[in-house]
Amino acid sequence: MSSIQKNEQLANFPSLKGKRVFITGGGTGIGAAIVEAFAQQGAHVAFVDIAREPSETLCRELAEAGYPKPAFRHCDLRDIPGFQKIIAELQAEVGDFDVLVNNAANDERHQLEDVTLEYWNDRIAINQRPSFFAVQSVLEGMKRRGGGSIINFSSISWHQSSGGFPVYTTAKASTLGLTRGLARDLGAHKIRVNTVTPGWVMTERQIKLWLDEEGKQAIARNQCLQGELLPWHLARMVLFLAADDSAMCTAQEFIVDAGWV
């Protein structure tokens, strides 16, 4: 299995059983933990990812563990027409979605001086644009279902004025604008829209590419809660926002960062 196992001491959300959930970037890291968490709740999960092998492995292992097998499609989110076609296919297979989780992103490092127009467009095409068009694609189905929950992922990096990837922080800051800009219009259809903002989550990618001794010291110095912030911590917040327990939560940002100050 991926980074979490079933923990009977954690909350079960009966309202999620049988719900139809669509997740972007569900094959690895935080996304995989979200896929797993929803499957453990008895939800019907569909997800896309550009990483084919780990996504297929996740689906197989969840099915072998006795959970509903997720529906996976390989997808490059930069291709919006192709992305929306896949969402339509998955809706036909799984049914209209009750929950959308816009999780996919790529925090590749870069410097302001090196950014070309081509690179800017490529980063925006990965980190910003797909979320809007995913909402557009699931909207009519959510209306037919009588409501829904949309959960957009931001990043603590722009809150912290982090340097080293300005196009990424620009895109992630805009997530709050997307959330608040949609909450009013979609609220009339009982569709809730919220943002989840992770701190420095210890995914395999982060550990491999960015975590060094200086980073470990920064975590120890800045987190109010000591210890590793892990993908499953984010997944649990997503479950709450998808469940009926958060029925009157919308237009909000929920930060899960172990109290980084």
Side-chain angles (χ1 to χ4, degrees), residues 3-4 6 51 65 76 86 90 123 133 136 151 154 167-168 181 187 196 205 218 223 225 228 232 238 240-241 252:
S3 59
I4 63 172
K6 187 68 172 179
D76 186 335
I86 287 172
L90 288 168
R123 294 297 93 186
F133 287 101
Q136 186 184 71
I151 301 159
S154 184
V167 187
Y168 176 79
V196 170
R205 171 183 167 83
Q223 285 186 183
L225 297 173
E228 292 184 328
W232 75 266
V238 171
F240 169 72
L241 291 174
Q252 302 304 311

Coordinates of all heavy atoms in Angstrom, one line a residue, residues 3-4 6 51 65 76 86 90 123 133 136 151 154 167-168 181 187 196 205 218 223 225 228 232 238 240-241 252:
S3 N 1.4 5.4 1.5 CA 2.0 5.9 2.7 C 1.1 5.7 4.0 O 1.6 5.8 5.1 CB 2.2 7.4 2.6 OG 1.0 8.1 2.3
I4 N -0.2 5.3 3.9 CA -1.0 5.1 5.1 C -1.7 3.8 5.1 O -1.8 3.1 4.0 CB -2.1 6.2 5.2 CG1 -3.1 6.2 4.1 CG2 -1.5 7.6 5.3 CD1 -4.2 7.1 4.3
K6 N -4.9 1.5 7.1 CA -6.2 1.7 7.8 C -6.0 1.9 9.3 O -5.3 1.0 9.9 CB -7.2 0.5 7.5 CG -8.6 0.7 8.1 CD -9.3 1.8 7.3 CE -10.8 1.9 7.7 NZ -11.5 3.0 7.0
A51 N 1.8 9.9 -14.1 CA 2.7 8.8 -13.7 C 1.8 7.5 -13.8 O 1.1 7.2 -12.8 CB 3.2 9.0 -12.3
A65 N -6.6 -5.2 -1.3 CA -6.9 -5.0 0.1 C -8.4 -5.0 0.5 O -8.8 -4.9 1.6 CB -6.3 -3.7 0.6
D76 N -2.1 14.0 -19.3 CA -1.3 15.2 -19.2 C -2.2 16.4 -19.1 O -2.9 16.8 -20.1 CB -0.4 15.3 -20.4 CG 0.7 16.5 -20.3 OD1 0.4 17.4 -19.6 OD2 1.7 16.4 -21.0
I86 N -11.4 13.0 -20.9 CA -11.3 12.0 -19.9 C -12.2 12.1 -18.7 O -12.8 11.1 -18.3 CB -9.8 12.0 -19.3 CG1 -8.9 11.4 -20.4 CG2 -9.7 11.1 -18.1 CD1 -7.4 11.5 -20.1
L90 N -14.9 9.3 -17.6 CA -15.0 8.8 -16.2 C -16.4 9.0 -15.6 O -16.9 8.2 -14.9 CB -13.9 9.4 -15.4 CG -12.5 8.9 -15.7 CD1 -11.4 9.8 -15.0 CD2 -12.3 7.4 -15.3
R123 N 4.2 26.2 -16.8 CA 4.0 26.0 -15.4 C 2.5 26.4 -15.0 O 1.9 25.7 -14.2 CB 4.9 26.9 -14.6 CG 6.4 26.6 -14.7 CD 6.7 25.2 -14.1 NE 6.7 24.2 -15.1 CZ 6.9 22.9 -14.9 NH1 7.0 22.4 -13.7 NH2 6.8 22.0 -15.9
F133 N -10.8 24.2 -15.3 CA -11.5 23.4 -16.3 C -12.1 22.1 -15.7 O -13.0 21.6 -16.2 CB -10.6 23.2 -17.5 CG -10.5 24.5 -18.3 CD1 -9.4 25.3 -18.2 CD2 -11.5 24.9 -19.1 CE1 -9.2 26.5 -18.9 CE2 -11.4 26.1 -19.9 CZ -10.3 26.9 -19.8
Q136 N -15.3 23.2 -14.3 CA -16.3 23.4 -15.4 C -16.8 22.1 -15.9 O -18.0 21.9 -16.2 CB -15.6 24.1 -16.6 CG -16.5 24.5 -17.7 CD -15.7 25.1 -18.9 OE1 -14.9 24.4 -19.5 NE2 -15.8 26.4 -19.0
I151 N -12.6 20.8 -3.7 CA -11.5 21.1 -2.8 C -10.2 21.4 -3.7 O -9.8 20.5 -4.4 CB -11.2 19.9 -1.9 CG1 -12.5 19.6 -1.1 CG2 -10.0 20.1 -1.0 CD1 -12.5 18.2 -0.6
S154 N -3.8 24.6 -2.5 CA -2.8 25.7 -2.6 C -1.5 25.2 -2.1 O -1.1 24.0 -2.2 CB -3.3 26.9 -1.9 OG -2.5 28.0 -2.0
V167 N 6.8 31.3 -10.4 CA 5.6 31.0 -11.2 C 4.7 30.1 -10.4 O 3.5 30.2 -10.4 CB 6.0 30.4 -12.6 CG1 4.8 30.2 -13.4 CG2 7.0 31.3 -13.3
Y168 N 5.4 29.1 -9.7 CA 4.6 28.2 -8.9 C 3.8 28.9 -7.8 O 2.6 28.7 -7.6 CB 5.5 27.2 -8.3 CG 4.9 26.2 -7.3 CD1 4.1 25.1 -7.8 CD2 5.0 26.4 -5.9 CE1 3.5 24.2 -6.9 CE2 4.4 25.5 -5.1 CZ 3.7 24.4 -5.5 OH 3.1 23.5 -4.7
G181 N -13.9 33.0 -5.7 CA -14.6 33.5 -6.8 C -15.7 32.5 -7.3 O -16.6 33.0 -8.0
G187 N -22.6 28.2 -4.6 CA -23.4 28.0 -3.4 C -24.9 27.9 -3.6 O -25.6 27.2 -2.9
V196 N -7.5 23.7 0.5 CA -6.6 23.1 1.5 C -5.2 23.5 1.1 O -4.7 23.4 0.0 CB -6.7 21.5 1.4 CG1 -5.6 20.9 2.3 CG2 -8.1 21.1 1.9
R205 N 8.9 12.5 -3.2 CA 9.5 13.5 -4.1 C 10.2 14.6 -3.3 O 11.3 15.0 -3.6 CB 8.4 14.2 -4.9 CG 8.9 15.4 -5.8 CD 7.7 16.0 -6.5 NE 8.0 17.3 -7.1 CZ 8.7 17.5 -8.2 NH1 9.1 16.5 -8.9 NH2 8.9 18.7 -8.6
A218 N 15.1 23.6 9.6 CA 14.0 24.6 9.4 C 12.7 24.0 9.9 O 11.9 24.7 10.6 CB 13.9 25.0 8.0
Q223 N 8.1 24.5 12.8 CA 6.8 23.8 13.1 C 6.5 23.9 14.6 O 7.3 23.5 15.4 CB 6.8 22.4 12.6 CG 6.7 22.2 11.1 CD 6.6 20.7 10.7 OE1 6.6 20.4 9.5 NE2 6.6 19.8 11.7
L225 N 4.2 22.0 15.9 CA 4.1 20.5 16.2 C 5.3 19.8 15.6 O 5.6 19.9 14.4 CB 2.8 19.9 15.6 CG 1.5 20.5 16.2 CD1 0.4 20.0 15.4 CD2 1.4 20.2 17.6
E228 N 7.1 14.7 11.4 CA 6.9 14.9 10.0 C 5.5 15.1 9.7 O 4.6 14.5 10.2 CB 7.4 13.6 9.3 CG 8.9 13.3 9.3 CD 9.3 12.1 8.5 OE1 8.5 11.1 8.5 OE2 10.4 12.1 8.0
W232 N -1.0 11.6 4.7 CA -2.3 11.2 5.3 C -2.9 12.3 6.1 O -4.1 12.4 6.2 CB -2.2 9.9 6.0 CG -1.5 10.0 7.4 CD1 -0.2 9.8 7.7 CD2 -2.1 10.3 8.7 NE1 0.0 9.9 9.0 CE2 -1.1 10.2 9.6 CE3 -3.4 10.6 9.0 CZ2 -1.4 10.4 11.0 CZ3 -3.7 10.8 10.4 CH2 -2.7 10.7 11.3
V238 N -9.1 16.6 3.7 CA -9.9 16.5 2.5 C -11.2 15.7 2.8 O -12.3 16.0 2.3 CB -9.1 15.9 1.4 CG1 -9.9 15.5 0.2 CG2 -7.9 16.8 0.9
F240 N -12.8 15.4 5.5 CA -13.8 16.2 6.3 C -14.5 17.2 5.4 O -15.7 17.4 5.5 CB -13.0 17.0 7.4 CG -13.8 18.1 8.0 CD1 -14.8 17.8 8.9 CD2 -13.6 19.4 7.8 CE1 -15.6 18.8 9.5 CE2 -14.3 20.4 8.4 CZ -15.3 20.1 9.2
L241 N -13.7 17.8 4.5 CA -14.3 18.8 3.6 C -15.2 18.2 2.5 O -16.1 18.9 2.0 CB -13.3 19.7 2.9 CG -12.5 20.6 3.9 CD1 -11.3 21.3 3.2 CD2 -13.4 21.6 4.5
Q252 N -13.4 29.0 2.1 CA -12.4 29.0 3.2 C -11.1 28.4 2.8 O -11.1 27.5 1.9 CB -13.0 28.3 4.5 CG -14.3 28.9 5.0 CD -14.2 30.4 5.3 OE1 -13.3 30.9 5.9 NE2 -15.2 31.2 4.8

